Amino acid sequence: MTDHPRIPLAGVIGHPIAHSRSPALHGYWLKRYGIRGHYIPLDIAPADLAHMLQALPRMGFVGVNITIPHKEAILQIADVITDRAALIGAANTLIFRKDGRIQADNTDGSGFIANLRQNAPHWVPSSGPAVVFGAGGAARAVVAALIEVGVPEIRIANRTRPRAEALRSDFGAKLVVSEWVQAANMLDGATTVVNTTSLGMTGKSDFRVPLDGLRSDAVVTDLVYTPLMTQFLIEAQAMGCTVVDGLGMLLHQAAPGFERWFGTRPEVDDATRRAVLLA
């Protein structure tokens, strides 16, 4: 008899999930590196999440990505939670360990920083305050990452102030909370500016905060990548700022999970971007 090794499976769990570009990204990497494996989109409703997760390892899955609306709930299901996932309060990467336990991690923050380092190589995090628009799960990952790389002050505003106040409570005195109607005032002297909201995304409301106060030497990034160049980035670029689109964060946050699941650290380069954009 011939011994057939099991082909490793991975995927992304969300609800809905058909819009995800992760299958195109991981599929490209699997083909590029000649790895026998598959990455599958899995639409799983919240009520079925815990039950389905227990079944996936028995089906040959070595891990999965987690996206909306499961990124916070997954921490109640995982057996092992990394320090950064616990700090952020959400996970985006699961590893099904050989001992049967589910390990939850969050690579959003490291993906965010890697995107800025790659596409704004002159960026110096300690050069001045950062501004963060939004206070959801993505903002938590961004704030944790900015603190880790030495940003001296983080000014944050959210359309509902209590969520921003919750971030200040969790992350400390480096955070300064402003009212959303006064968000434009936060830009004074800021050297890093980040939109973590869905404003400006295709099908969503426009980003309407005036950007007149932007420094021309600021690095400005938007986590939205549909469209790739949001109106937020277009306006910032017109003012002389270095702008970084959100697609790179998607690519970089995916690399650690791919390495853990399939044994190869993938390169995030122009060919990778093109493969995902053309998918």
Side-chain angles (χ1 to χ4, degrees):
M1 293 179 64
T2 303
D3 182 23
H4 293 286
R6 204 170 195 185
I7 296 175
L9 305 177
V12 56
I13 293 176
H15 184 66
I17 202 59
H19 66 284
S20 176
R21 298 198 183 190
S22 292
L25 170 60
H26 287 270
Y28 168 76
W29 279 336
L30 287 167
K31 184 176 180 180
R32 176 174 179 173
Y33 297 108
I35 297 171
R36 294 177 72 240
H38 298 281
Y39 186 95
I40 303 163
L42 300 165
D43 191 328
I44 297 177
D48 300 323
L49 183 61
H51 174 71
M52 293 300 296
L53 279 176
Q54 298 302 321
L56 291 178
R58 297 195 295 272
M59 297 166 62
F61 280 81
V62 291
V64 290
N65 286 124
I66 298 291
T67 189
I68 296 171
H70 304 308
K71 296 175 80 168
E72 296 175 1
I74 202 67
L75 297 186
Q76 306 302 316
I77 300 171
D79 304 299
V80 180
I81 301 169
T82 64
D83 289 344
R84 59 184 174 181
L87 176 66
I88 294 166
N92 72 332
T93 304
L94 298 186
I95 299 153
F96 299 141
R97 298 179 7 167
K98 291 182 179 179
D99 63 7
R101 296 198 290 176
I102 298 174
Q103 179 174 320
D105 194 9
N106 193 309
T107 63
D108 281 335
S110 61
F112 169 77
I113 297 297
N115 187 33
L116 287 183
R117 298 251 190 238
Q118 182 178 48
N119 294 293
H122 65 284
W123 178 57
V124 180
S126 60
S127 64
V131 167
V132 175
F133 297 109
R140 295 182 68 88
V142 166
V143 166
L146 290 173
I147 291 173
E148 186 175 355
V149 297
V151 171
E153 177 183 285
I154 300 172
R155 304 166 182 171
I156 188 166
N158 191 61
R159 284 171 287 180
T160 53
R161 184 181 176 114
R163 294 199 72 174
E165 293 286 0
L167 260 71
R168 188 184 188 283
S169 176
D170 290 343
F171 289 99
K174 278 194 174 184
L175 270 68
V176 178
V177 177
S178 292
E179 295 287 349
W180 184 258
V181 294
Q182 299 174 329
N185 297 334
M186 301 191 300
L187 296 170
D188 184 29
T191 56
T192 308
V193 181
V194 189
N195 176 36
T196 74
T197 75
S198 62
L199 295 174
M201 182 186 294
T202 302
K204 302 288 186 178
S205 300
D206 293 336
F207 185 94
R208 298 186 184 279
V209 176
L211 301 181
D212 309 61
L214 273 176
R215 290 173 47 157
S216 62
D217 61 347
V219 173
V220 180
T221 185
D222 198 328
L223 302 198
V224 170
Y225 56 85
T226 51
L228 202 58
M229 280 294 289
T230 60
Q231 190 61 33
F232 173 71
L233 293 183
I234 291 170
E235 290 182 21
Q237 189 174 59
M239 298 176 72
C241 301
T242 298
V243 300
V244 180
D245 65 59
L247 182 61
M249 178 176 168
L250 172 75
L251 306 182
H252 281 287
Q253 64 81 28
F258 186 92
E259 182 178 20
R260 288 294 299 269
W261 304 326
F262 299 114
T264 297
R265 181 71 176 199
E267 186 177 359
V268 176
D269 55 13
D270 288 341
T272 306
R273 282 180 61 91
R274 285 194 300 271
V276 174
L277 288 171
L278 293 173

